[in-house]
Amino acid sequence: MAAVRSAPVLLATLLYFTLSASSSFQPALVLDMATILLDNYCFPDNLVGMQEAIQQAINSGEILQISDRKTLAVVLTAGVQGALNDPRLTVSYEPNFVPVVPPVLPSLPTEQLVRLVRNSVKLEILENNVGYLRIDRIIGEETMAKLGSLLRDNIWNKVAHTSSLIFDLRYSTAGELSGVPFIISYFSDPEPLIHIDTVYDRPSNTTKELWTISSTMGERYGKKKDLIILTSKRTMGAAEAVAYTLKQMKRAIIVGERSAGGSVKIQKIKIGDSGFYITVPVARSINPITGQSWEVSGVAPSVNIIAKEAVGNAMSLLAVRSAIPKAVESISNIISRFYAFTDRVPALLYQLESTDFFSVISEEDLAAKLNQVLQAVSEDPRLIIKHTQDQVTIIDDESDPDKAGDDDAFLRMLVDTVFKVQILTGNTGYLRFDKFVESRLVPKLGEHLAKKVWEPLKDTDNLVIDLRYNTGGSPASLALILSYLQDASQNRHFFTIYDRIQNTTTEYDTLPGITASNYGSKRGVYVLTSYYTASTGEEFAYLMQSLHRGTVIGEITSGTLMHSKTFQVESTGIAITIPFINFIDNNGECWLGGGVVPDAIVLAEEAVDHAHEIIEFHGGLKSLIEVTGKLLEMHYAIHDVATKVSKVLLTKWAEGSYRSVVDFESLASQLTADLQETSGDHRLHIFYCDVEPESLHEVPKIPTAEEVGYIIDALFKIEVMPGNVGYLRFDMMADVEVVKAIGPQLIKLVWSKIVNTDTLIIDMRYNTGGYSTAIPLLCTYFFDAEPLRHLYTVFDRSTTSMTEVMTLPQVTGQRYGSSKDIYILTSHLTGSAAEAFTRTMKDLNRATVIGEPTIGGSLSSGTYQIGDSILYVSIPNQVVLSAVTGKVWSVSGVEPHVVAQASDALTVAQRIIAARMLKRE
């Protein structure tokens, strides 16, 4: 369509410019020009209908003559370029123009060809065995064949032995496209042959594919050594084809300026005998990789730099690229020797070896590429490669600063200096230390710690450990402090350290026979953190969470990379930081750093105040959990499950799983997760609300006569589809008393219009539930009067009653009966009473269910306040037993007979109905 529309646009543009000149012109000129374009322009699809449109305009007498021929040429040029969006199309008035036909190169004497080639080709070998080849004219296939031995001996065989090549096309402004495959072939392998270009020629209406050739004159350069092509604003024609093709093949990096954007073939054609000429691109190039071309837009460089600086830049770039193999090898060796995840090393080395570094044009690029590769494979944020301007200093992060001594006076002074102890309000102990002491001193500190630290804190009700200013130290002392926070009888595994350099694995457990009394595991511990908390301080905070031993309050920690070494990659500005130690927690998970997220995120300076608030909140936590369990035992439909859940909640509290809970919101979330996980029932839910929520099943309001019509219009949608198929959609399950109140109008406005259909589709995709009391009435319409059918049985935990739900002996209006097909559409929104209706009809084989599994809601739930708090629990208090199997209905929802996307369910149902009708016929 775009091609068809372009012709009238072209005509309108030409007419606009000619009419605006307020003169007449020869209509034949425009018509001849259109004919030339139709026969020669390389995008003929854009010209469909143009000639007929111009002829109509001429016949209408609307085209006026422009007396000034040069003005006319300018007008026509603007019109044709604007209409076809092609700046190569130009019209000129040149009555004295004499075409100059350049000599065809193959016809020249050999001596002249040799001089021409030597004048247009320059070859040098630069430092580091870098080849420099400048070609100012791309010679064609015939000329290459004629000068084969000269080119082989003086160019290609000499170039072949260089380590890398700078191919200079900055001054190449002419050439023949037939020579392009020969040049491309020198920089590729003999097999397989590669399709490099497609050229369409309009005058002959032929298409020619250009491929690499299997045999070349002279040695190939191959595709492994670096190739850099230099371009400038003057690079044009066949040279652009070479640069563009090698760039898209990822064989060459282009350095310099965007090229001229020439054309495959341009012809200047005379328009009749008028003295006017039109310049037309008669052929076009289509790259098989991109589907586009270098024509008009030119070749964009990979490195954009002014042309005169291109050689120097190329040399620098080659220096960077020549360093890639050695850099990759060096990084591979470092990873092999030091990386703590030994099982990931083979995959990392393979990825490094197989990565394509073609796009790398600087050390920054190389560092970014290497980092991307390592991160993708290792998934380890500690393994980092980056570019740096400064020399890297290798620091051993395991070094210990405390080297002054280990005599008794020094140890006493060390404890006095490092540890600060207070008793805060509410009999809360406070312990601050800003570093973890070195490993060699840990066994000797017990007595001093007992006297200075643990003795003053032993009778406190809770303990605040302040790590807001702790920047790390030796991880060996972690086990000592953690042991004090456990019961004396406990033997717990804290963490494991794997050292890749030493090839040792050390497990840290509860230390036996520690001096002084243990603080124990029952009292609350609150760890304060800040952005400055780093290294071993972070590990302590992390372990307190992992062991469920404490509550972390404050800011996210610094995320300092721990247990790592940084190495400079030789002869580059690239550095690799590699973790040589893995810190494995009590659950067997390796912690990769990245900062510890507190259970309560607050400003560091406000952490102590928040600790007091959370301590007070935790004081009532056990009571809330106990009340939740009792409510479950009283109201949950399955008593055995409720008893089990109640016990699990208290066990989790005793194990410290609720120490991460810091307010009612987080308690509601944690309790909900534990209830659902333990019971397998996603309908159990805890929520918090500042005001008492309204009852979910309050007594329904009977509508007035004026409201009945509105309710029916809002809730029900009906349609009789082709084939006498009824469609009924309703989006809420109303209470039976409401249904009875609107019954006469419902029968008249809804039911009477679909009851006589042959098949019925009931759409429950948007019905999220409501009241279950109307389910028996609704089901009754789809069964015969006799016998009454058992639909399902309801056990109500609140009343401990068992009720069999049956169809009704009488209904208002006509029954649909039990013989006609019914299809129920469902979605993941279908819930509660809507599910009960759907499951009943499915159980009794009365309907085919099509769509998505339903939500798995409850038939009835009660909402109960947990103590006098703002927490409430929603508890399903009924279970439904199948009338067919006698088993409890699953809480996972109704599985359709035919699974389909909800949006497609109606269409699927219609197809099934049509197929069954056809089969019956």
Side-chain angles (χ1 to χ4, degrees):
M1 290 298 294
V4 174
R5 287 196 300 265
S6 64
V9 172
L10 172 61
L11 172 61
T13 307
L14 293 174
L15 290 178
Y16 170 78
F17 281 110
T18 53
L19 288 171
S20 64
S22 301
S23 303
S24 62
F25 73 101
Q26 293 292 335
L29 178 65
V30 177
L31 191 57
D32 288 345
M33 184 182 73
T35 302
I36 291 171
L37 288 172
L38 287 168
D39 293 340
N40 296 278
Y41 185 46
C42 60
F43 290 96
D45 292 346
N46 293 351
L47 302 172
V48 175
M50 183 187 70
Q51 191 169 14
E52 292 80 2
I54 289 178
Q55 187 62 57
Q56 291 176 9
I58 293 173
N59 294 338
S60 70
E62 296 177 356
I63 298 178
L64 303 177
Q65 188 176 30
I66 297 177
S67 59
D68 184 80
R69 303 301 184 184
K70 291 190 179 294
T71 301
L72 177 58
V74 172
V75 169
L76 292 175
T77 295
V80 75
Q81 287 184 356
L84 297 175
N85 194 26
D86 192 335
R88 298 171 296 176
L89 291 164
T90 59
V91 179
S92 60
Y93 178 66
E94 302 176 70
N96 300 318
F97 175 72
V98 178
V100 178
V101 180
V104 179
L105 288 187
S107 64
L108 296 175
T110 301
E111 296 78 10
Q112 192 172 347
L113 282 175
V114 169
R115 286 197 302 273
L116 180 63
V117 170
R118 284 178 173 167
N119 288 336
S120 62
V121 176
K122 178 182 178 182
L123 174 63
E124 290 184 60
I125 306 299
L126 307 178
E127 60 179 327
N128 298 322
N129 198 30
V130 174
Y132 172 83
L133 175 61
R134 169 178 165 180
I135 295 181
D136 296 347
R137 182 186 184 96
I138 306 296
I139 59 175
E141 180 180 1
E142 293 184 39
T143 306
M144 282 193 177
K146 197 169 183 179
L147 300 177
S149 59
L150 174 70
L151 298 174
R152 180 189 63 229
D153 297 338
N154 292 280
I155 299 177
W156 300 118
N157 285 355
K158 291 182 179 180
V159 165
H161 299 289
T162 59
S163 302
S164 54
L165 180 64
I166 298 173
F167 190 6
D168 193 347
L169 297 178
R170 289 176 295 173
Y171 311 99
S172 184
T173 58
E176 298 178 44
L177 206 62
S178 63
V180 172
F182 288 84
I183 294 177
I184 303 299
S185 298
Y186 277 102
F187 299 108
S188 59
D189 293 337
E191 296 293 340
L193 298 182
I194 303 171
H195 180 199
I196 59 175
D197 205 351
T198 298
V199 177
Y200 170 67
D201 183 79
R202 174 56 184 155
S204 62
N205 196 28
T206 57
T207 299
K208 181 179 180 180
E209 291 185 349
L210 303 184
W211 291 71
T212 55
I213 55 180
S214 57
S215 178
T216 59
M217 294 174 287
E219 295 184 48
R220 290 177 185 260
Y221 203 71
K223 64 178 185 180
K224 293 185 178 180
K225 292 186 283 187
D226 283 331
L227 173 64
I228 295 182
I229 295 178
L230 309 184
T231 58
S232 73
K233 297 174 183 177
R234 294 185 291 176
T235 306
M236 184 179 290
E240 292 182 281
V242 170
Y244 187 83
T245 302
L246 289 171
K247 178 184 178 183
Q248 301 308 325
M249 290 171 60
K250 294 188 176 181
R251 181 59 192 92
I253 296 174
I254 313 299
V255 175
E257 300 166 337
R258 181 181 287 272
S259 63
S263 298
V264 172
K265 189 177 180 181
I266 294 281
Q267 286 186 358
K268 191 171 184 176
I269 304 171
K270 189 174 184 180
I271 305 175
D273 296 326
S274 62
F276 284 87
Y277 289 83
I278 181 168
T279 301
V280 182
V282 297
R284 73 175 189 261
S285 164
I286 306 169
N287 184 274
I289 297 174
T290 65
Q292 298 175 348
S293 174
W294 45 270
E295 297 179 272
V296 182
S297 59
V299 182
S302 310
V303 180
N304 198 342
I305 195 167
I306 60 175
K308 67 179 181 179
E309 297 178 3
V311 174
N313 188 280
M315 290 295 290
S316 300
L317 175 53
L318 286 173
V320 170
R321 293 191 59 78
S322 66
I324 291 175
K326 191 171 182 180
V328 172
E329 181 183 5
S330 176
I331 289 169
S332 298
N333 290 336
I334 292 170
I335 290 173
S336 298
R337 291 179 57 198
F338 297 106
Y339 188 42
F341 279 118
T342 54
D343 57 324
R344 303 181 190 181
V345 169
L348 287 167
L349 299 185
Y350 172 79
Q351 194 64 33
L352 284 171
E353 183 181 355
S354 58
T355 296
D356 180 7
F357 293 98
F358 170 77
S359 62
V360 171
I361 58 176
S362 65
E363 279 195 351
E364 290 84 352
D365 276 353
L366 178 58
K369 182 75 172 179
L370 288 167
N371 190 64
Q372 178 187 12
V373 169
L374 296 187
Q375 287 291 310
V377 177
S378 71
E379 297 181 343
D380 187 346
R382 304 171 300 167
L383 183 59
I384 296 174
I385 291 182
K386 61 183 179 180
H387 184 263
T388 176
Q389 299 293 338
D390 302 321
Q391 187 70 21
V392 173
T393 302
I394 300 178
I395 300 175
D396 185 352
D397 74 342
E398 298 302 299
S399 61
D400 288 320
D402 305 321
K403 300 292 185 182
D406 56 3
D407 56 28
D408 193 68
F410 170 75
L411 295 175
R412 187 166 52 252
M413 182 273 294
L414 179 64
V415 171
D416 289 342
T417 303
V418 172
F419 296 91
K420 178 182 178 182
V421 176
Q422 283 181 264
I423 305 299
L424 306 178
T425 58
N427 194 31
T428 297
Y430 173 87
L431 169 62
R432 168 180 167 179
F433 54 99
D434 297 345
K435 68 176 178 178
F436 287 83
V437 298
E438 63 170 301
S439 56
R440 69 184 180 88
L441 299 177
V442 170
K444 304 173 184 180
L445 286 175
E447 182 179 339
H448 299 283
L449 284 173
K451 184 176 180 181
K452 169 71 177 177
V453 178
W454 302 118
E455 183 66 25
L457 297 173
K458 68 177 183 178
D459 295 323
T460 57
D461 295 331
N462 296 281
L463 176 61
V464 172
I465 299 179
D466 192 347
L467 299 181
R468 290 176 293 176
Y469 313 98
N470 192 305
T471 56
S474 171
S477 55
L478 285 172
L480 176 63
I481 300 175
L482 289 170
S483 296
Y484 276 108
L485 302 178
Q486 305 296 323
D487 296 330
S489 59
Q490 285 181 305
N491 183 20
R492 296 199 66 178
H493 172 63
F494 294 143
F495 61 96
T496 301
I497 284 183
Y498 170 70
D499 189 318
R500 174 72 178 87
I501 297 176
Q502 303 297 329
N503 195 26
T504 58
T505 300
T506 306
E507 294 190 350
Y508 292 86
D509 304 320
T510 306
L511 297 178
I514 59 175
T515 309
S517 301
N518 294 63
Y519 196 73
S521 63
K522 301 298 186 290
R523 287 175 281 184
V525 178
Y526 302 85
V527 180
L528 310 186
T529 60
S530 75
Y531 176 77
Y532 299 103
T533 308
S535 187
T536 309
E538 295 180 275
E539 290 175 334
F540 180 81
Y542 172 81
L543 286 171
M544 291 295 282
Q545 288 181 325
S546 178
L547 292 163
H548 301 303
R549 184 59 194 93
T551 306
V552 181
I553 304 167
E555 298 170 342
I556 298 173
T557 60
S558 68
T560 302
L561 291 172
M562 295 165 290
H563 313 306
S564 300
K565 290 184 181 292
T566 300
F567 299 90
Q568 187 92 33
V569 178
E570 186 179 354
S571 303
T572 70
I574 295 173
I576 176 171
T577 299
I578 188 163
F580 65 94
I581 283 179
N582 275 344
F583 183 90
I584 304 164
D585 67 18
N586 56 300
N587 299 311
E589 297 290 331
C590 181
W591 188 43
L592 302 179
V596 177
V597 179
D599 301 304
I601 301 177
V602 299
L603 292 174
E605 55 266 29
E606 299 174 0
V608 174
D609 291 338
H610 277 274
H612 285 297
E613 293 175 7
I614 294 170
I615 288 171
E616 183 179 358
F617 176 74
H618 280 180
L621 199 55
K622 183 180 180 182
S623 175
L624 292 173
I625 293 172
E626 287 176 335
V627 171
T628 301
K630 290 177 181 178
L631 288 172
L632 281 172
E633 293 179 29
M634 290 174 58
H635 300 289
Y636 187 58
I638 307 174
H639 185 259
D640 290 346
V641 174
T643 303
K644 171 189 171 185
V645 173
S646 180
K647 291 179 179 178
V648 169
L649 293 181
L650 283 174
T651 300
K652 284 180 172 287
W653 175 84
E655 292 173 347
S657 297
Y658 284 88
R659 287 195 166 112
S660 61
V661 166
V662 295
D663 53 25
F664 285 111
E665 182 179 3
S666 57
L667 176 58
S669 176
Q670 184 66 50
L671 276 173
T672 297
D674 289 341
L675 289 175
Q676 294 180 357
E677 179 185 7
T678 309
S679 67
D681 190 342
H682 66 275
R683 303 170 301 174
L684 284 166
H685 183 68
I686 307 282
F687 61 96
Y688 71 103
C689 187
D690 292 331
V691 295
E692 184 175 355
E694 295 181 2
S695 171
L696 298 180
H697 293 286
E698 60 185 2
V699 177
K701 178 183 177 227
I702 304 302
T704 64
E706 293 77 13
E707 293 172 332
V708 169
Y710 170 77
I711 292 174
I712 292 175
D713 288 341
L715 294 185
F716 296 91
K717 178 183 177 183
I718 59 170
E719 183 181 350
V720 178
M721 299 177 172
N724 199 29
V725 175
Y727 172 84
L728 169 63
R729 167 180 165 180
F730 56 103
D731 297 344
M732 188 185 80
M733 301 293 285
D735 181 72
V736 68
E737 297 303 322
V738 174
V739 174
K740 289 178 180 178
I742 65 174
Q745 288 288 77
L746 192 61
I747 296 293
K748 178 181 177 182
L749 299 175
V750 177
W751 186 240
S752 64
K753 296 180 180 179
I754 57 174
V755 69
N756 292 315
T757 55
D758 297 328
T759 304
L760 181 61
I761 298 172
I762 302 176
D763 193 345
M764 309 289 279
R765 290 177 293 176
Y766 312 99
N767 194 318
T768 56
Y771 295 87
S772 61
T773 51
I775 293 176
L777 176 60
L778 179 60
C779 288
T780 298
Y781 278 93
F782 302 108
F783 292 94
D784 297 331
E786 294 292 340
L788 297 181
R789 298 297 300 271
H790 179 199
L791 300 176
Y792 51 84
T793 299
V794 176
F795 170 72
D796 191 308
R797 171 70 182 146
S798 300
T799 61
T800 64
S801 62
M802 191 84 76
T803 305
E804 287 191 351
V805 179
M806 310 289 292
T807 54
L808 306 178
Q810 293 181 338
V811 290
T812 303
Q814 180 183 343
R815 293 175 185 253
Y816 200 75
S818 61
S819 60
K820 293 186 283 186
D821 288 342
I822 296 174
Y823 298 84
I824 299 177
L825 311 184
T826 60
S827 76
H828 66 281
L829 300 175
T830 309
S832 183
E835 286 181 288
F837 168 72
T838 303
R839 195 187 293 268
T840 300
M841 296 290 279
K842 180 186 178 185
D843 269 3
L844 298 176
N845 294 320
R846 186 60 193 92
T848 300
V849 181
I850 301 172
E852 299 169 342
T854 61
I855 194 172
S858 57
L859 197 61
S860 173
S861 292
T863 300
Y864 308 94
Q865 186 176 11
I866 300 176
D868 58 357
S869 73
I870 61 172
L871 290 180
Y872 296 83
V873 56
S874 176
I875 302 176
N877 50 27
Q878 292 182 345
V879 291
V880 183
L881 290 77
S882 169
V884 177
T885 65
K887 295 181 179 179
V888 174
W889 278 353
S890 168
V891 300
S892 60
V894 182
E895 285 291 330
H897 293 100
V898 181
V899 177
Q901 292 288 330
S903 57
D904 299 330
L906 178 57
T907 302
V908 171
Q910 290 173 315
R911 289 174 182 168
I912 293 174
I913 292 169
R916 289 184 178 177
M917 286 181 176
L918 186 62
K919 187 175 181 180
R920 288 169 185 167
E921 293 175 0

